[in-house]
Amino acid sequence: MSPEEFRRHGYAVIDWLADYSARLESLPVLSQVSPGEVRDGLPAEPPATGQGFDGLLADLDSVIVPGLTHWQHPSFFAFFPASATGPSILGDLLASGLGVQGMLWATSPAATELETLMLDWLARLLDLPAGFRSDSAGGGVIQHSASDAALVALVAALHRVSGGATETDGVAAGRFCVYTSGQTHSSVEKACRIAGIGTAALRKLDVDPDTLAARPEHLAELLAADVAAGRTPALVVASVGATGTGALDPVAELAELAHRYGAWLHVDAAWAGVAAVCEELRWINAGVELADSYCTNPHKWLLTNFDCTAFWVADRSALISALSILPEYLRNSATESGAVIDYRDWQVPLGRRFRAMKLWAVLRWYGAEGLQQHIRKHVALAQEFASWVAADPRFELLAPHPLALVTFAVKGGDDPDETGRRVLAAVNASGKAYLTHTVVNGRYAIRMAIGSVLTERRHVLAAWQAICELLPGED
Ligand code: PLP
């Protein structure tokens, strides 16, 4: 593709995306295709000769778009949001076009230095402890996902509790333990499997039945029992905004216990953490100053397209010592000077994209005020939605909802959980809105997660009306 062809097709792609965004609201939120339909719409054989680009955009319209669930749709209320905004898409396009691979400072100093600065900016915007900033013993890095953040936190924790022995000796079965609540995202269990300590190393903390927050008393019991049995507590993971219900663990109490037993405290604030851009929501940071590591995802609720997990550590040496291997072919004078950051030592892969570019574009475009408005709007909409649920005798709220996730259930009738299942299926099949579910204290719960950039009050109201209209009556 020559530069002129690139320019022509590039304009067409941007036009296509701008049109897509403008017509999103007319599309069903949840894809209506059957399994295999998308694949059957495309040739089984790869092209023998080059085909140009125009046909790809035509296939995009006719085959791919019907097979999309539209995450940017204003009536997307499922899972958690995954925002893609103009500035982040353009920032990402620039990163793709530059095509640099910033595994070492030396392989593109600007990629590393912009990333370090963006993580420092974000730490300031979220009012995170100064000890996470790069001018301290800590620092920040962009990980692919919150799951990667949990994994590297675990590897750093194993390094620290073993005095570095895990790097050479591996992990003996049954020796190390990890603690987190039953509300915590499954990525912590996956991290245990990948790190080789296995699911058996994971201890699930009981939660308070009202707040769904981890009970520190249970953590204290488990830590004492494991130590008495000769095992080593390695990691405690606290959730700030757990996936199912948005539960917030008491970070300070969990951290104090973790540290008493020499364990690492990681905070998973993948969805909720970015809410701290608003001063009035900074209470969610309580206790974070005691954390060894912390992550939040701008790619969920902070206007930045996937992938962009911000991950900070209070002591970068534990992370770097755990992950650094310097083969001959990567040696260079900048690394050996010790004066630069090589982000390859902060993550699982060697190679890395220039993800700081899109974060830079987002932070510059919106500024602190724009980010705050975005979060405040969703929090206010969620509070209004929760008030409708609370006022309707056919429904009940199942969990605290201080941010933009409302978890509720159908009440009454012979089998309210089955009624809840049916109404959710009907709403999603209608294409008018897309919501997902969880289970809270044994109850089938519908989750309303507000966070799409395009969502207005009328979309939230329409979703509520669809839920009420499609609620099956008593048979
Ligand atoms: N942690 C929490 C609290 C989450 O809600 C999620 C995903 O929704 C994750 C971790 C995993 O996120 P990622 O896709 O970035 O690995």
Side-chain angles (χ1 to χ4, degrees):
M1 193 178 275
S2 69
E4 275 318 309
E5 287 171 317
F6 178 76
R7 193 187 307 280
R8 182 163 66 82
H9 294 305
Y11 286 148
V13 166
I14 298 290
D15 281 344
W16 190 95
L17 285 173
D19 292 343
Y20 170 72
S21 182
R23 75 187 162 103
L24 257 177
E25 201 168 342
S26 66
L27 301 170
V29 193
L30 183 65
S31 173
Q32 314 280 310
V33 296
S34 321
E37 205 173 314
V38 173
R39 197 188 159 132
D40 290 346
L42 297 169
E45 299 293 329
T49 55
Q51 294 192 325
F53 206 78
D54 299 328
L56 187 143
L57 288 183
D59 284 352
L60 189 59
D61 278 319
S62 60
V63 185
I64 301 297
V65 170
L68 296 177
T69 288
H70 301 286
W71 283 68
Q72 308 310 316
H73 197 293
S75 300
F76 182 97
F77 302 115
F79 308 105
F80 281 134
S83 3
T85 60
S88 75
I89 296 166
L90 294 178
D92 218 11
L93 182 61
L94 284 170
S96 295
L98 294 172
V100 301
Q101 207 273 58
M103 58 188 179
L104 300 167
W105 177 88
T107 61
S108 254
T112 295
E113 294 191 14
L114 187 66
E115 182 161 334
T116 307
L117 181 64
M118 287 309 102
L119 273 284
D120 283 350
W121 276 14
L122 196 54
R124 286 182 195 276
L125 283 166
L126 302 179
D127 199 27
L128 292 175
F132 284 154
R133 294 206 297 263
S134 62
D135 55 2
S136 70
V141 59
I142 300 177
Q143 300 281 344
H144 172 224
S145 71
S147 306
D148 284 320
L151 176 61
V152 297
L154 175 55
V155 173
L158 291 168
H159 166 88
R160 194 171 75 182
V161 293
S162 69
T166 49
E167 277 82 75
T168 44
D169 303 343
V171 284
R175 176 167 167 208
F176 299 106
C177 308
V178 172
Y179 310 80
T180 198
S181 100
Q183 295 285 315
T184 295
H185 190 265
S186 56
S187 49
V188 175
E189 183 167 347
K190 197 185 253 189
C192 291
R193 292 197 201 174
I194 298 170
I197 58 173
T199 306
L202 188 62
R203 312 277 184 268
K204 293 267 175 83
L205 305 176
D206 294 344
V207 298
D208 178 286
D210 297 322
T211 63
L212 305 164
R215 287 183 51 241
E217 307 76 35
H218 192 211
L219 176 62
E221 283 166 28
L222 291 172
L223 287 165
D226 280 326
V227 169
R231 292 185 282 263
T232 307
L235 175 71
V236 176
V237 179
S239 290
V240 170
T243 312
T245 58
L248 297 124
D249 288 336
V251 176
E253 288 170 75
L254 299 183
E256 276 160 21
L257 283 164
H259 292 162
R260 197 180 303 161
Y261 286 87
W264 182 287
L265 191 285
H266 174 61
V267 175
D268 178 356
W271 160 68
V274 298
V277 291
C278 302
E279 288 90 356
E280 72 276 18
L281 297 174
R282 295 234 167 106
W283 55 267
I284 65 170
N285 285 347
V288 165
E289 67 284 358
L290 299 175
D292 295 289
S293 55
Y294 177 93
C295 90
T296 188
N297 288 358
H299 73 226
K300 282 189 160 57
W301 195 14
L302 204 67
L303 302 154
T304 309
N305 59 308
F306 194 81
D307 53 333
C308 185
T309 288
F311 175 68
W312 289 272
V313 282
D315 171 16
R316 61 178 175 255
S317 67
L319 181 63
I320 294 170
S321 309
L323 294 176
S324 178
I325 301 171
L326 185 58
E328 189 54 38
Y329 48 82
L330 294 179
R331 282 189 189 280
N332 66 88
S333 55
T335 295
E336 274 156 33
S337 75
V340 300
I341 288 177
D342 289 329
Y343 275 129
R344 74 184 182 102
D345 295 333
W346 297 53
Q347 62 173 19
V348 175
L350 170 64
R352 56 202 328 274
R353 307 197 307 115
F354 192 176
R355 287 173 295 212
M357 188 61 94
K358 63 185 167 191
L359 194 53
W360 191 34
V362 166
L363 300 184
R364 287 176 70 134
W365 178 265
Y366 291 97
E369 276 180 17
L371 302 175
Q372 287 161 354
Q373 276 169 20
H374 166 75
I375 298 288
R376 282 185 185 130
K377 177 173 146 189
H378 294 144
V379 173
L381 288 174
Q383 300 316 306
E384 191 173 6
F385 180 86
S387 73
W388 300 333
V389 176
D392 191 317
R394 297 168 299 172
F395 298 96
E396 64 183 308
L397 294 165
L398 289 188
H401 48 83
L403 300 173
L405 172 66
V406 181
T407 314
F408 63 102
V410 174
K411 208 165 77 174
D414 289 342
D415 190 350
D417 284 0
E418 180 53 24
T419 310
R421 247 177 237 114
R422 283 167 58 193
V423 70
L424 183 61
V427 170
N428 291 344
S430 77
K432 290 182 185 164
Y434 180 31
L435 291 82
T436 46
H437 78 279
T438 187
V439 172
V440 179
N441 293 326
R443 299 285 312 281
Y444 181 87
I446 302 175
R447 295 170 73 261
M448 176 79 176
I450 300 176
S452 169
V453 187
L454 299 173
T455 301
E456 300 292 341
R457 184 177 184 274
R458 67 191 164 88
H459 302 108
V460 177
L461 185 59
W464 174 240
Q465 285 166 345
I467 292 165
C468 294
E469 279 160 20
L470 295 167
L471 187 71
E474 291 289 307
D475 293 329

